[in-house]
Amino acid sequence: MKSMKLYSDVHRIYNNLVALGIGPQDGLSVAALTPFDQYHYDGTEAVDLALSRLDLPAYARILDIGAGIGGPARYIADTTGAHVTALELQPDLDDVARDLTRRCGLAARVTHECGDILDGHPRGPFDAIISLLCMLHIPEKHRLFAACRAALRPGQAMYIEDFAHSRPLTEAEAESLAVKVQCTQLPTPDEYRAHLAAAGFSDISITDVTQDWRRVSASRVKAAKAAHDANVALHGAATVAGLEDFYAAVDALWQGGALTGLRILAR
Ligand SMILES: C[S@@+](CC[C@H](N)C(=O)[O-])C[C@H]1O[C@@H](n2cnc3c(N)ncnc32)[C@H](O)[C@@H]1O
C-alpha cells in the first residue's frame, strides 16, 4: 500500500493543524479537519451527495469501508444522527483517525476498526454502507460484495465511489495504476453491475462522473504546484515529492482517458 504516496506520512495532517495554531493536545472541530481529511474527490460535497442518495433512517448504523483517516465518518456522525463504524486496513491511518475522532469529541459516535473487509470485519447488520475510493484496491469483487451483503441489513443500500475503465489500458497505464495507485484490476461499468448483481444486489444505479473527476484531478495538480514551496516548508521535501508524483501519475491516467469514475447505489 505504501507505494501509493497518498498513504505515506499520513501524520502530515498534524503539520496542517499546527499551521492553524492547533497543537497536538488541542480539541478539534470537524470543520477544521475537512480541508485535510477527505481522501476522495469533491470533499464533503461528495459525502453530502452520498447521504442524500442513501436517505437514511434516524439513528442509522453505517459502515464506512476503507475509512482512511476518518474524514467522511466524522463528517457523517457530525452532520446526522448516525453512528458510523469506520473500517480501515492500514494501522497508521487507523491510529490517526482514532486520535482525530477522539479530539473532535466524536468517539461515542464513530467506532474505528482496523481490519480487512475481506476478512468479514466488522459485524453487522448495518443500515447502510458507504465506501469512497476504497474498492479500487480490492480485485476480488466477488468476495468483496459477498462481505458487503453479509454486513448489510436486507433491503438496505450501499453507496460506492470507485474507478472503472471503459477502454483497454496500455501496459504503461496498467503498471502505473498497479504501482502508484495500488489498483491491479479495474472492471468496466457493466462488469461492476454484474458483480453486484451476482452478490445479490438489485436496484443498481450507476452514474458516470469521469468528466468531474478529470477536472478535479487537473486542479489538484495545479494547486499542488502553486503551493509547492509552502508545502515543502510545512511537510518536508520528501513528503511533497511523493504526493506530487502521486497526483501527476493519477492525472496522466485521467487525462489520457484510462479511467472512468463511478458513483453507484445498490440495494
Ligand atoms: C483513497 S482512500 C479513501 C479513504 C476515505 N474513504 C476517504 O474518502 O477519505 C482508500 C482507503 O481504503 C483502505 N482500504 C483498502 N483496502 C481495504 C480493505 N480491504 N479493507 C479495509 N480498508 C481498505 C485503504 O487503506 C485507504 O485508506
Side-chain angles (χ1 to χ4, degrees):
M1 274 291 186
K2 294 304 181 201
S3 71
M4 174 160 157
K5 298 299 178 197
L6 181 67
Y7 303 146
S8 19
D9 186 19
V10 290
H11 290 83
R12 65 183 179 272
I13 190 168
Y14 295 117
N15 304 333
N16 296 110
L17 294 175
V18 166
L20 293 175
I22 303 171
Q25 307 303 329
D26 294 342
L28 284 169
S29 70
V30 168
L33 291 174
T34 53
F36 316 112
D37 68 358
Q38 310 286 317
Y39 283 7
H40 56 268
Y41 299 120
D42 289 328
T44 54
E45 256 177 58
V47 186
D48 285 333
L49 182 66
L51 289 171
S52 71
R53 300 281 317 271
L54 283 167
D55 191 19
L56 296 163
Y59 308 111
R61 290 188 64 222
I62 303 176
L63 172 61
D64 179 5
I65 300 174
I69 58 170
R74 277 185 298 276
Y75 180 78
I76 292 169
D78 197 45
T79 54
T80 72
H83 179 279
V84 186
T85 297
L87 175 68
E88 172 50 46
L89 181 67
Q90 300 180 72
D92 54 343
L93 277 78
D94 182 66
D95 281 349
V96 171
R98 282 168 199 266
D99 175 56
L100 298 175
T101 296
R102 181 187 55 76
R103 288 169 60 192
C104 285
L106 285 170
R109 308 267 307 287
V110 179
T111 302
H112 290 279
E113 283 199 30
C114 191
D116 185 336
I117 183 63
L118 295 181
D119 292 341
H121 292 283
R123 279 257 178 89
F126 292 92
D127 300 308
I129 291 177
I130 183 168
S131 185
L132 305 179
L133 291 189
C134 161
M135 293 183 174
L136 58 98
H137 292 308
I138 306 173
E140 306 98 316
K141 294 288 189 283
H142 172 73
R143 278 179 70 200
L144 169 63
F145 294 145
C148 293
R149 185 185 169 174
L152 198 57
R153 199 182 293 285
Q156 300 304 310
M158 170 162 77
Y159 183 93
I160 303 168
E161 288 194 350
D162 206 356
F163 289 179
H165 76 97
S166 299
R167 65 148 171 85
L169 269 56
T170 65
E171 221 172 278
E173 287 169 341
E175 194 189 331
S176 171
L177 196 62
V179 174
K180 303 213 166 166
V181 190
Q182 283 298 303
C183 173
T184 54
Q185 210 175 72
L186 278 183
T188 65
D190 283 346
E191 286 166 348
Y192 217 111
R193 184 184 291 277
H195 283 308
L196 285 164
F201 284 90
S202 60
D203 297 345
I204 302 166
S205 128
I206 299 186
T207 309
D208 186 321
V209 289
T210 306
Q211 294 305 333
D212 178 41
W213 289 1
R214 198 176 275 163
R215 184 186 49 73
V216 173
S217 168
S219 333
R220 182 167 71 174
V221 170
K222 215 170 149 193
K225 255 187 208 145
H228 174 84
D229 291 347
N231 284 339
V232 168
L234 201 57
H235 303 300
T239 293
V240 171
L243 279 174
E244 287 180 355
D245 181 60
F246 167 70
Y247 296 154
V250 180
D251 196 49
L253 292 167
W254 278 119
Q255 307 312 329
L259 298 177
T260 296
L262 301 180
R263 289 196 169 121
I264 300 162
L265 186 70
R267 208 164 279 281

